[in-house]
């Protein structure tokens, strides 16, 4: 899902695909449901906030890069296989989002 999202043009359609994909992963991989739900929430918020608006391409790219950084952070934690890494990644994401412009 990360590679597909990275390759797509930034905008609500690409965020909608992440939302749908993470919702499916929540059901199929309950061990990581919390991490998927975090990404799902960000993608869902972006779609709700911007689906009926014309978005500046630079803004859309910024949002895409922010979500990609979160997805990659979680992917690295998945790869480690350590529960502590997963918790640390989720905490980092929540704190980073709180310090960010909260664009989604």
């Amino acid at each position: 899902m990360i590679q597909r999202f990275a390759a797509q043009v930034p905008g609500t359609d690409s965020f909608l695909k992440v939302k749908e994909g993470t919702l499916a992963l929540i059901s199929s991989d309950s061990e990581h449901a919390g991490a998927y739900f975090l990404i799902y929430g960000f993608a869902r918020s972006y779609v709700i906030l911007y689906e009926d608006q014309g978005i500046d391409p630079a803004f859309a790219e910024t949002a895409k890069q922010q979500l990609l950084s979160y997805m990659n952070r979680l992917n690295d934690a998945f790869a480690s296989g350590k529960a502590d890494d997963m918790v640390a990644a989720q905490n980092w994401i929540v704190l980073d989002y709180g310090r960010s412009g909260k664009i989604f």
Side-chain angles (χ1 to χ4, degrees):
M1 181 179 352
I2 294 171
Q3 288 108 354
R4 282 191 308 251
F5 182 59
Q8 293 174 349
V9 175
T12 54
D13 288 344
S14 59
F15 278 79
L16 182 61
K17 289 176 184 170
V18 169
K19 179 186 147 227
E20 292 168 350
T22 52
L23 190 58
L25 287 168
I26 289 168
S27 299
S28 66
D29 183 8
S30 61
E31 182 180 352
H32 300 110
Y36 297 133
F37 188 75
L38 191 59
I39 300 301
Y40 165 84
F42 291 140
R44 179 181 177 272
S45 292
Y46 186 92
V47 171
I48 289 170
L49 290 169
Y50 306 114
E51 70 182 330
D52 294 332
Q53 298 182 29
I55 300 297
D56 177 66
F59 177 86
E61 183 63 32
T62 297
K64 177 183 172 183
Q65 291 306 315
Q66 185 174 356
L67 188 60
L68 269 173
S69 74
Y70 296 164
M71 294 168 79
N72 283 317
R73 177 68 66 127
L74 290 172
N75 195 50
D76 291 345
F78 288 156
S80 81
K82 298 177 184 173
D84 289 348
D85 289 346
M86 182 57 63
V87 171
Q90 290 179 57
N91 286 338
W92 182 90
I93 290 166
V94 169
L95 293 172
D96 183 74
Y97 179 75
R99 291 184 297 261
S100 75
K102 299 179 185 172
I103 57 178
F104 41 72

